[in-house]
Amino acid sequence: MSDAVRPNDASGVPVSGGPASPEGPAAPGPARRSLLAGGALATAGLAVPAFAAGSARAAGRVPARAWSGRPAADWGVQAGDVGERSGVIWARSDRPAVMTVETAAIESFRGARRWRGPLLTPGTDFTGTTALHGLPPGEQIHYRVTLTDPDDPRRASRPLTGTFRTVPARRSAGVRFLWSGDIAGQGWGINPDRGGWRVYEEMARLDPDFFLCSGDTIYADGPILPSVTLPDGTVWRNLTTEAKSAVAQSLDEYRGAFRYNLLDAHLRRFNAQVPQITQWDDHEVRNNWYPGQILDDPLYTEKRIDVLAARARRAFSEYFPIGTLPPGDPDGRVHRVLRHGPLLDVFVLDMRTYRDPNSRNRQVDDPQGILGAHQLSWLKRELSRSRAVWKVIAADMPLGLVVADGATDFEAVAQGDPGAPLGRELQIAELLRHIKHARVTGTLWLTADVHYTSAQHYAPERAAFKDFAPFWEFVSGPLSAGGFPSVPLDGTFGPRQTFLKAPTRANVSPAELPPNYGEVSIDGHSGELTVRLREEGGRVLYTRVLRPGLVGQ
C-alpha cells in the first residue's frame, strides 16, 4: 500500500512540525540539549519518503543528488527499553539495507563502538532493531544509525543521530519520566495548520529519562479524513495517507497506520531524544477487542479478531524498539518489567492479549480476568522480587473507572456494582491482596485510555473489598485524539477522585482540548515522588507528592 501523502494546503507541502517552537517553559538538561545544536537538528529537517527530495539540503551537508540511490532512513530513529547497560535502537529503511549502529560518549563519535545490526527487508517492512549491551551505567549515550546497501558497502545512507541516558546505578541521580497515550484517534490527525504535534516538542524540553506510552499508539480502526468541520464552523485539516483512509485489516494497512504517526517532525525529533517504554491497548487492532471475538461490523471484511490481532501485533513489534517482542524475543510478549535503578521499577501490563470476553462482568469466578492467570502470577512474583523504592504499574486501562462496551457489557475492570468484587475485579482483588500481604511498598498505577485527566486515591475504609493497602491511580491523555466526558467510579476498591478535567461532550477536538500528559519525578535523596498532570502549553493542572513508606496517605 502506498504511503503517498495527500497535500492539504495551498503550497502542496504536507510537512508537519517544522521549526516552530511550542509554548511552555524551558527545562533543564544541558547534556541532551547540546544534541539539538548538532545531529538532532539534522534529523528534524528530514522529510518522509513521499517528500524527501529536499531532505539532504535541509540537513546542510551535501547536495541531494549525492544521496540518490542510497538507502534512506527518513522515518527517524528510536531507542527503547533502556536499562543500566543496555538499550534497543530502531530504524526503517526505504529499501533493503544493513543496519549499523555506533555509540559514543561524545557527539563527535570519537572512539565510537560499532554494532552490526540486521538486514532490513520487506519481511519486516524494512524496519529493524539492534540490541546494545555493555554500555556504561548512568551516562548520556550518543548513537548514530547508518544503512548500507547489502551488495555495495560503499553506498550508505546519511547517518541519523539520537541520544539516551542509561539507567544510573546510584539513586542520587533521581528519575524523571513522562507518560500519556491515545495518538491520532477519532479522526484527529496531524494538522499542518497547527504546526503538527507540537506537544512532543514541549515534552522533549522537560528532558525526561524516558517516555511511557500507555497504549492506543495508533487508531487502526479510525480513518483520518482530509478535513473535519468543528462546532464553531472552522475546519480542522489533516495530513492524510492511503493507509489511513479506511480501517486497517491487512498487515500492510496496519504498518501504514504506524507510519502515519512518523510523518510528524516533532514526534521524530522526540523519538531521537527520549527513549520509549511502549505498551498497547485496543486501538492498535480495533476498539474494545478481545481474543476470540467475531466482528459484526460492515467496515470489516475480515471478521476474526484473532487474525486482525496477529497482523496488528506483528506491525506493532516492527515499529517499536521493545526487547520482549520479535526479534529480541521470538515468543513475544508486551508485559515486562523495566528496572530504573534503586528508585524505580516499571511493570508494563498487557490488559488486552489474555483477557476474557467483554461481558456484564458480574461472574463470581473469573480466573482468566483481564490479565490472564500466567501474567497475574508473573506480576505478583516480580513485584515481590522488586527492591526499588517505587513500583509503577503501567496499566493500559484504569481500575475503578466504569468503561462500558455497548449497552450491557464492560470493557475495563469495573462494572459499576459497588459491592464485593465480581468478574475481572476478582483478579485485581487477588493482586491487591498479594501486594498487602507480601509487604510490597511504593506501588502506584499510571494509565491513559479514557481521554481525560484525573487522579484517584483508593482506600480500604471506603471500599467494599478491604484487604488491601491504599494506593493512587493517575490518568492522563489524550496526546492527539478526541476528548471525552468522565465516566462513573466503582466503589468496590474505594476510589476517591481528587482531580478531574474532562469535557462535557464526546469527541472534543485537540483544537478545543489541549493535549494532556503526566510527569513523574523522584528525588534521589529523599525518595519523594511527585506526580504532575500537565496540558500542552506548560500548565500544570494538578500536583501530588508521595513519600516513600507513606504511599496512599
Side-chain angles (χ1 to χ4, degrees), residues 196-225:
W197 291 337
R198 296 174 299 168
V199 66
Y200 284 103
E201 208 71 59
E202 180 176 308
M203 293 195 299
R205 288 205 305 271
L206 292 172
D207 193 33
D209 292 296
F210 62 88
F211 173 66
L212 168 63
C213 189
S214 300
D216 292 342
T217 57
I218 61 167
Y219 281 70
D221 54 342
I224 291 179
L225 303 178

Side-chain angles (χ1 to χ4, degrees), residues 419-452:
L422 295 171
R424 292 170 178 161
E425 293 173 336
L426 292 163
Q427 194 174 66
I428 300 303
E430 181 181 346
L431 174 62
L432 296 178
R433 183 187 295 112
H434 170 82
I435 290 171
K436 175 186 174 181
H437 290 278
R439 301 184 183 276
V440 178
T441 60
T443 61
L444 70 152
W445 295 67
L446 301 181
T447 189
D449 182 71
V450 290
H451 295 228
Y452 61 80

Side-chain angles (χ1 to χ4, degrees), residues 73-220:
D74 290 348
W75 301 90
V77 290
Q78 301 177 53
D81 286 10
V82 169
E84 190 174 299
R85 296 180 177 274
S86 61
V88 181
I89 305 301
W90 175 96
R92 182 178 190 265
S93 180
D94 65 342
R95 68 195 69 191
V98 175
M99 178 181 179
T100 301
V101 180
E102 295 172 279
T103 62
I106 53 178
E107 293 176 64
S108 68
F109 286 90
R110 182 179 301 170
R113 184 177 176 184
R114 189 177 178 90
W115 310 77
R116 183 179 172 89
L119 174 64
L120 311 184
T121 70
T124 60
D125 202 28
F126 302 110
T127 67
T129 59
T130 300
L132 311 180
H133 300 284
L135 302 174
E139 297 290 338
Q140 194 78 32
I141 304 297
H142 298 273
Y143 68 91
R144 63 185 176 194
V145 175
T146 305
L147 305 178
T148 305
D149 188 319
D151 299 318
D152 185 356
R154 297 169 299 177
R155 301 179 67 80
S157 70
R158 178 164 48 86
L160 284 174
T161 58
T163 187
F164 61 88
R165 284 191 289 268
T166 50
V167 171
R170 298 182 178 180
R171 64 176 277 169
S172 58
V175 181
R176 177 167 62 231
F177 70 92
L178 308 178
W179 94 92
S180 190
D182 314 316
I183 304 166
Q186 288 75 47
W188 310 111
I190 302 167
N191 185 337
D193 296 339
R194 295 173 57 82
W197 291 337
R198 296 174 299 168
V199 66
Y200 284 103
E201 208 71 59
E202 180 176 308
M203 293 195 299
R205 288 205 305 271
L206 292 172
D207 193 33
D209 292 296
F210 62 88
F211 173 66
L212 168 63
C213 189
S214 300
D216 292 342
T217 57
I218 61 167
Y219 281 70

Side-chain angles (χ1 to χ4, degrees), residues 74 165 228 243 246 283 338 362 521 530:
D74 290 348
R165 284 191 289 268
V228 182
H283 289 286
L338 283 303
R362 284 172 166 80
S521 58
T530 302

